Amino acid sequence: MADQTIDALRGEPILLRILKGIALLRESGVGMIGAALVLFWVVVALFAPLLAPFDPLATLQLLAFPGDPYVLDPGKTFDGQAVEEVCALIETGEKQGKYDCGTFWLGTDRVGRDVLSRLIYGTQRVLLYAPLATFCAYAVGIPMGLAAGYLRGWADEVLSFVSNVILSFPVLVLYVIIIATIGASGTNIVIAVTFASAPGIMRIVRGLVLDLRNREYVFAAQTRGESAWRIMFVEILPNARGPLIVDSCLRLGYVIITIGVLGFLGLGLPPPDPDWGGMINENRLMALVAPHMTVFPCIAISSLVLGFNLLADGLREISLRD
Amino acid sequence: MTGNGVDYDGPILECRGLCISYFTRAGEIPAVIDFDLTLERGGSVGLVGESGCGKSTVAMAIMRYLGKNGGIVGGEVLYKGRNMADFSEEELRQLRGNEISMVYQEPMASLNPSLTLGKQLMEVPLYHEQVAVKEAYDRAVRMLADVKLPDPERVMAAYPHQISGGQQQRVVIAMALLSNPTLLLLDEPTTALDVTVEAGIIELIGEIAERFNTSMIYISHNLGLILETCDRVNVMYSGQVVEEGSVKEVFDEMRHPYTKGLFSAIPLPGADKTARPLVPIRGQLPLPHERPSGCYFGPRCDFFNDGRCDQGQIEMEAVAGEEGHRVRCLRWQEIDWAAYRPQGLSGEEMTPGQPVLKIENMKKYYEITDNSLAAIIKGERIKYVKANEDISFDARECETVAIVGESGCGKSTFAKVLMGLETATDGEVLYRNQDLAQEPVQARTPEQIGDVQMVFQNPFDTLNPSHTVGSQLARVIRKFGAESEPAKIKQRVMELLDLVKLPRDFAKRRPRQLSGGQKQRVGIARAFAGNPAMVVADEPVSALDVSVQAAVTGLLMDIQRSYRTTLLFISHDLSLVRYLSDRVVVMYLGHIVEQGRTDEVFSPPYHPYTEALLSAVPIADTSIQRKRIILEGALPSVLDPPSGCPFHTRCHRKIGSICETKDPPVVDLGDGHRIACHIPRDELDKMEPVIVLSGEGQSEQAASSEESPAAD
């Protein structure tokens, strides 16, 4: 944009302002807890290969019988013990009817894969697809809301009608229909979430714009003949950012739940990729005898969602103070 | 301690050395410091001051409603001789309901929109005195009649949104009076109302004080209102009372430099833009945590003495010979006011040039589709809101034309048509002989757009909070093609900031780091960025503090003078209009009822509406006598305007059925002074001036004929 040429007239760089905003978060205790939870999972996702003790796809059987595609290097050791010793341990463990020998911290699942490693690798999937889906939903919902709220007239009527139709479907049914039609994959989850969330975002943006479009600075822009495009994106949108940032944090939490639900319904990431919702689904039949297989993925989902919700609360608290 | 006995005859309320603080994240913020007040039975004290001076905090402290983060940190409040700190919660509740009542600024916010007014009124006696429903109803109806509401029974059954703003405020006052309080606190009760409605409320408040022998504390920023309602006045500045005394003493012979400054900054009828210009108070109000040491007014005071005025707390001193007149100034006895010649606003005369704008029979109707069954049956589904009806006037180069009228008179609609945000339904808007009436802003050339720009009303809304001041100004410069190279644009932004007397480093600031007056200056800079030939100023100073208003007004006039800009000044503030405009257009319900040179409009013969408007404006000058004309009824709806003369429903000079049936003829009294009225010419000529300077027995006409430079 041409405005950027006049650097001298601009205030502080955007990055510095964002950092200052984050620094403000320190004043909100709730927000700090949320930020810590989210940060924890982000670190886990980033360093998954270093943190995970096992290959998330390798089963006990594969570990015990080298030669299969998932066989490990013969020289590699677990917890300082040679592979052969581990195998021996596992065999003894199997004979005694338990798989946990202190090697698998959170135990193994139905088919004998390490729950901890799957959780850690699952974080990567969740923290890739949830923000991506939320971002796409905003990328579609914001222009729709701006157009409906600012242009009004037929644009508003058409967009509001479409969004009402979409919102009138039960969300879950909508997801099932979409995923069943276009197939289960990461990209398709993003598409489904975008389709189902964009109308809600459109409504929020439209409401904000209906208020902001009557501000005098918008009249000032109109009286100097600015284009509708510029008024919507440069004059109005930046002033709607406060509520939208808070909403995006909350929505991120909901999308994580959604991805979990899709996984649980078997519509999530196709197996054998580690997926939190999928982990719960695969092991749910054994939930009463071996609860560790389902409890830990549940805790992971709730803690991440809680993190985003608390973060949203903290952000709202700060934005109300100004 | 005297207790609560009926035979108590001491002061109703006393505040002694009251200090109130708010506790925030940033620490303790003193809101009110060392506040003294004595209110006798039946007396009325005015608290006057600018925003943030602590006047509302005082009222809240008296009600003991200070919220969680506020508290009294020193001094005491005595109610009928008893320290209010000793009252229990239950006693306080009794006190608030029965003895102390409060009326707030926003009537709509004081009334519950989902209950009928009757129910809300009856609650007061029902809960506080446990009377029977029948009696509560009767008392409520009687009280509504006492506050002069027509048809009290109907009002009792109505919901708040079904009556007008002025009527709502009357209901709020009735509610406050129902418990027959000893003390009535009024916090800016008329600020949200139109002047003609305000005049009625003020009259009512005066009558009530007399009839019920209620003591009153009247909070306002308007000195004129204080003069009309109060016996004594406390002038507050930044949390302190700087001067107190009887209204007459303080208004006639003020001692504190701030009080003096306030009176020099408001356009009283004696002020004149060439002979006696307004004197702005320099600088701005200090924020509570940035108050200077010593005298808080020091940095803005012309009599500031280094090393003396900035040392320690300054105490109130009694003025000898005037009982109860006290002033918080170290130097009040030394100042020789007669020799004081402050630097006023520059007052060069301007000679208007060629006509720039010519409006001919401009009409603006809004179409409304009525979907009710009745409308469908009648076949009248489309209704018109006649926002502007037959607007004709012209404006010349370098001239200031004021458009005056109350809310809903169509002045903002007119501005929108002129700016191209709406297109006219009919008629012509000739700007330099090009018709812009049907040209929306998108269809206008950049020169046409840049030539007509606007200064907006609300300083908190006029700048985009997301962008820096500099980038907003740069955008305008680029948009109008005044400059295109970045270096030159930056140069021009700096020149604009110089023009509106703001420091150059403000370019990098965001609007929230600016005060209201500073934002309005940036708004003016933005309007002048494209070298406009005409600027429409929509109430540019009405949201600003009194001491800042004069400076911003002066700035606008200075820039107008140097650019020879035509200024269309939209306002409801007649004092200001009289001060700065060359010609005045008075609008009512979308019609122009009177127009002419300022001195002609402000002197007889008047249109009856102009006469009522003039009489409604409170003037802070004890030597002025004005006729009281209180308009009856509310402003009719534009959806269903009265037939004939639009003003006949409220007119105090209505001459008969002709007013209701025939459109009034426009009478030309010569020299462009036109009045749209049925009253015959010779009767118009017999009208008396509304405002008379009583001391000299001189008519307003004589006082103002030397005023307007355009007259010659």
Side-chain angles (χ1 to χ4, degrees), chain B residues 27 33 79 119 262 267 283 326 362 446 479-480 587 655 675:
Chain B
I33 300 128
Y79 179 74
K119 209 167 181 127
L262 270 186
R326 300 198 301 158
M362 200 276 277
K479 184 75 193 167
F480 295 144
M587 284 181 74
I655 52 172
I675 293 178

Side-chain angles (χ1 to χ4, degrees), chain A residues 29 164 172 210 222 252 315:
Chain A
N164 282 340
L172 212 54
L210 283 182
Q222 288 169 340
L252 208 48
L315 289 172

Side-chain angles (χ1 to χ4, degrees), chain B residues 595-661:
Chain B
Q595 60 173 306
R597 284 204 328 260
T598 306
D599 55 326
E600 292 168 339
V601 172
F602 279 77
S603 58
Y606 308 106
H607 185 279
Y609 177 63
T610 318
E611 191 185 15
L613 263 187
L614 280 174
S615 82
V617 183
I619 298 167
D621 189 336
T622 52
S623 63
I624 280 194
Q625 301 245 301
R626 59 195 171 93
K627 223 172 13 174
R628 289 285 196 146
I629 300 159
I630 307 290
L631 290 183
E632 300 293 326
L635 196 72
S637 156
V638 271
L639 252 181
D640 191 15
S643 57
C645 172
F647 187 53
H648 81 80
T649 54
R650 299 170 76 196
C651 186
H652 56 286
R653 287 183 186 270
K654 189 175 159 184
I655 52 172
S657 58
I658 184 169
C659 293
E660 289 165 30
T661 49

Side-chain angles (χ1 to χ4, degrees), chain B residues 49-365:
Chain B
E50 299 173 275
S51 59
C53 73
K55 49 193 197 302
S56 292
T57 304
V58 168
M60 288 306 180
I62 292 169
M63 295 288 275
R64 299 198 70 86
Y65 261 149
L66 276 172
K68 267 188 199 157
N69 63 341
I72 296 177
V73 291
E76 52 190 8
V77 184
L78 303 177
Y79 179 74
K80 290 189 175 170
R82 241 188 101 190
N83 192 338
M84 283 184 78
D86 301 335
F87 282 59
S88 68
E89 269 306 309
E90 185 51 38
E91 278 179 300
L92 279 175
R93 194 170 21 248
Q94 283 297 322
L95 195 71
R96 286 176 197 141
N98 292 337
E99 310 218 5
I100 307 182
S101 290
M102 187 148 181
V103 175
Y104 297 90
Q105 175 171 349
E106 201 60 64
M108 197 60 202
S110 312
L111 296 168
N112 185 338
S114 58
L115 294 178
T116 60
L117 294 166
K119 209 167 181 127
Q120 299 181 54
L121 283 163
M122 282 157 64
E123 255 179 18
V124 181
L126 281 178
Y127 283 89
H128 282 288
E129 295 168 46
Q130 280 85 36
V131 299
V133 175
K134 176 85 180 80
E135 197 200 329
Y137 182 85
D138 290 343
R139 272 172 63 180
V141 172
R142 236 178 303 138
M143 190 50 81
L144 285 180
D146 283 345
V147 295
K148 297 193 184 150
L149 277 166
D151 201 357
E153 308 268 343
R154 190 186 60 83
V155 174
M156 287 290 280
Y159 286 92
H161 68 270
Q162 292 171 316
I163 59 175
S164 71
Q167 289 175 332
Q168 284 170 3
Q169 196 62 302
R170 280 173 195 263
V171 172
V172 173
I173 292 173
M175 203 181 287
L177 289 173
L178 261 177
S179 57
N180 202 5
T182 329
L183 175 60
L184 189 59
L185 296 171
L186 299 134
D187 190 354
E188 306 254 12
T190 59
T191 307
L193 306 172
D194 272 322
V195 269
T196 54
V197 180
E198 174 182 83
I201 300 278
I202 293 299
E203 193 190 47
L204 175 73
I205 291 172
E207 281 176 21
I208 282 165
E210 235 166 77
R211 214 171 119 191
F212 296 87
N213 200 22
T214 315
S215 312
M216 282 197 310
I217 294 182
Y218 193 100
I219 297 171
S220 181
H221 66 277
N222 187 329
L223 290 163
L225 286 179
I226 297 286
L227 173 64
E228 289 191 9
T229 49
C230 299
D231 325 320
R232 293 181 57 79
V233 62
N234 283 13
V235 182
M236 294 189 72
Y237 181 77
S238 193
Q240 281 184 330
V241 173
V242 292
E243 185 161 3
E244 65 166 317
S246 74
V247 167
K248 181 130 183 67
E249 281 162 5
V250 173
F251 278 47
D252 285 351
E253 209 174 336
M254 63 250 13
R255 307 302 174 110
H256 196 280
Y258 172 65
T259 323
K260 188 83 184 171
L262 270 186
F263 277 91
S264 318
I266 53 174
L268 294 170
D272 182 315
K273 76 174 161 185
T274 46
R276 275 184 58 195
L278 297 184
V279 185
I281 305 179
R282 62 166 189 264
Q284 50 183 320
L285 285 164
L287 294 170
H289 53 276
E290 288 170 0
R291 290 185 184 126
S293 62
C295 177
Y296 294 160
F297 187 59
R300 303 176 74 186
C301 181
D302 283 342
F303 303 96
F304 181 71
N305 230 341
D306 222 358
R308 196 169 147 215
C309 292
D310 53 4
Q311 303 295 319
Q313 174 97 19
I314 292 161
E315 299 297 328
M316 293 287 268
E317 281 179 46
V319 176
E322 291 175 31
E323 211 204 314
H325 190 173
R326 300 198 301 158
V327 57
R328 196 188 293 273
C329 179
L330 289 176
R331 305 195 58 205
W332 70 271
Q333 280 167 309
E334 302 163 21
I335 299 170
D336 180 9
W337 288 115
Y340 176 53
R341 287 278 171 272
Q343 172 76 44
L345 299 176
S346 128
E348 280 169 60
E349 283 197 28
M350 291 177 278
T351 7
Q354 291 301 307
V356 177
L357 180 75
K358 202 168 170 61
I359 316 279
E360 296 245 26
N361 303 93
M362 200 276 277
K363 286 188 177 74
K364 175 68 194 172
Y365 294 173

Side-chain angles (χ1 to χ4, degrees), chain B residues 393-453:
Chain B
F393 70 92
D394 43 63
R396 290 182 289 173
E397 188 193 40
C398 202
E399 192 178 40
T400 307
V401 178
I403 303 177
V404 174
E406 295 173 282
S407 54
C409 72
K411 49 192 200 294
S412 298
T413 304
F414 168 72
K416 279 186 179 170
V417 174
L418 186 59
M419 304 303 298
L421 297 183
E422 305 273 357
T423 51
T425 311
D426 195 16
E428 287 178 334
V429 177
L430 293 171
Y431 173 75
R432 294 198 193 283
N433 293 323
Q434 293 165 312
D435 188 6
L436 297 181
Q438 304 301 331
E439 304 269 308
V441 69
Q442 293 85 357
R444 297 186 184 179
T445 65
E447 291 77 45
Q448 284 173 331
I449 296 171
D451 257 5
V452 186
Q453 276 299 298

Side-chain angles (χ1 to χ4, degrees), chain A residues 296-320:
Chain A
F296 291 113
C298 286
I299 291 176
I301 292 180
S302 344
S303 67
L304 185 52
V305 173
L306 183 71
F308 278 114
N309 284 0
L310 293 182
L311 189 60
D313 273 358
L315 289 172
R316 181 182 296 138
E317 207 176 298
I318 293 166
S319 67
L320 287 181

